[in-house]
Amino acid sequence: MSKPNPPTLDVRDIEVQYGPFRAIFGVSFSIGRGTTVALLGPNGAGKSTIARTISGLVRPSKGSIIFDSTDISRTSAWKIARLGITQVPEGRGIFSSLSVSENLQLALRCQSSKSQVASLLNQAYETFPRLGERALQLAGTLSGGEQRILALARVLLIPPKLLIVDEMSLGLAPVIVDEVFAGLSAIKELGTSILLIEQHVNRALEFADQAVVLSKGEVILAGPVSELGDMDRILIPGKREG
Ligand code: ATP
């Protein structure tokens, strides 16, 4: 009998400390290939800490993080990025003094043929028409929401194995939030696994396959979204939007 595929990411019993303060207590979860896990919980629950720990910006004091069968819990952030984990909105920055089109072309600098670059750019503009309309505009003059869309378009051009999305739609107009989710869908279709931290809980649950709910640095609920039932019981009503 053939073995099932190992998950893209396996977080095993990690603890994270900031000096004497322990933010994460024995958290474990995994993300299957091409699937999305929503990481939910109230403010201060530890969602961003987990995102930063996976990206290598913070080290766990205990436990391990296995990415593509390799333990990355002691690997530097730049090596983790090279292995195929991208975090947005941080991570791959955009260049303010370059145009939208130049930013996208820079992401494609390793593509060999001009026709390949042109076809990928067209695909990006089809997914994000707003960027097509602003192709010649300097990225630094885009609105905050448009800059996030540009960052997503760069991810779409070179899809990572794992995309960590930490509050991408925070403070954005609903129409831009729709574009963010359309972009995430396009990236997911390319086979990228996604860890989604999102204040619009209902949107996150519509998009995700699995959810992990944190409270005070611990997992209090985890499983397929379809089996989790009514989240009102668990999540703070004020955080439940969208
Ligand atoms: P939010 O939804 O508000 O962003 P979160 O679930 O992402 O919250 P974290 O930002 O991971 O939570 O914070 C978890 C805990 O760790 C909080 O108590 C926070 O104050 C603490 N914390 C986060 N970053 C640091 C830091 N650099 N130094 C010390 N404590 C920190």
Side-chain angles (χ1 to χ4, degrees):
M1 217 167 71
S2 65
K3 277 192 188 166
N5 271 341
T8 301
L9 187 83
D10 200 6
V11 174
R12 295 182 187 162
D13 200 21
I14 59 163
E15 288 186 4
V16 182
Q17 308 238 154
Y18 292 110
F21 174 74
R22 191 179 296 174
I24 300 297
F25 298 81
V27 164
S28 301
F29 64 93
S30 58
I31 307 180
R33 280 169 202 280
T35 69
T36 297
V37 170
L39 188 57
L40 305 172
N43 290 110
K47 306 177 296 294
S48 295
T49 297
I50 288 178
R52 290 200 295 266
T53 309
I54 296 167
S55 296
L57 301 171
V58 176
R59 291 237 183 280
S61 49
K62 195 188 144 208
S64 53
I65 299 172
I66 312 297
F67 173 62
D68 243 359
S69 306
T70 301
D71 188 343
I72 57 163
S73 46
R74 299 282 173 272
T75 306
S76 59
W78 70 269
K79 274 192 192 155
I80 289 175
R82 280 213 168 165
L83 288 173
I85 298 182
T86 296
Q87 184 167 344
V88 285
E90 307 164 60
R92 290 180 196 193
I94 57 170
F95 297 93
S96 313
S97 57
L98 298 182
S99 70
V100 166
S101 159
E102 286 164 340
N103 266 280
L104 296 177
Q105 287 178 52
L106 206 56
L108 292 170
R109 63 193 176 283
C110 296
Q111 297 293 326
S112 48
S113 80
K114 276 189 177 173
S115 64
Q116 241 178 340
V117 171
S119 138
L120 286 166
L121 280 181
N122 275 341
Q123 278 174 33
Y125 292 144
E126 268 172 34
T127 309
F128 303 105
R130 183 180 295 272
L131 294 183
E133 291 158 16
R134 291 164 176 75
L136 301 179
Q137 190 174 325
L138 292 184
T141 65
L142 294 173
S143 72
E146 288 162 356
Q147 290 191 8
R148 287 188 215 173
I149 299 280
L150 178 56
L152 267 191
R154 287 172 58 96
V155 174
L156 180 71
L157 291 176
I158 313 182
K161 291 180 188 157
L162 174 67
L163 177 65
I164 300 173
V165 185
D166 190 355
E167 303 279 22
M168 188 79 177
S169 62
L170 190 68
L172 298 185
V175 63
I176 308 263
V177 176
D178 288 344
E179 286 182 40
V180 165
F181 275 92
L184 291 178
S185 292
I187 291 166
K188 188 178 184 188
E189 269 176 35
L190 297 175
T192 292
S193 307
I194 301 176
L195 179 65
L196 180 64
I197 300 172
E198 172 58 56
Q199 59 157 343
H200 296 93
V201 173
N202 289 347
R203 302 232 30 187
L205 291 174
E206 272 164 32
F207 186 84
D209 305 289
Q210 307 260 335
V212 173
V213 184
L214 288 181
S215 175
K216 297 179 185 162
E218 290 183 87
V219 175
I220 56 165
L221 186 72
V225 165
S226 54
E227 293 173 15
L228 285 181
D230 185 3
M231 289 298 221
D232 279 343
R233 287 183 298 111
I234 297 143
L235 294 164
I236 290 178
K239 296 280 287 182
R240 194 168 190 274
E241 295 175 41

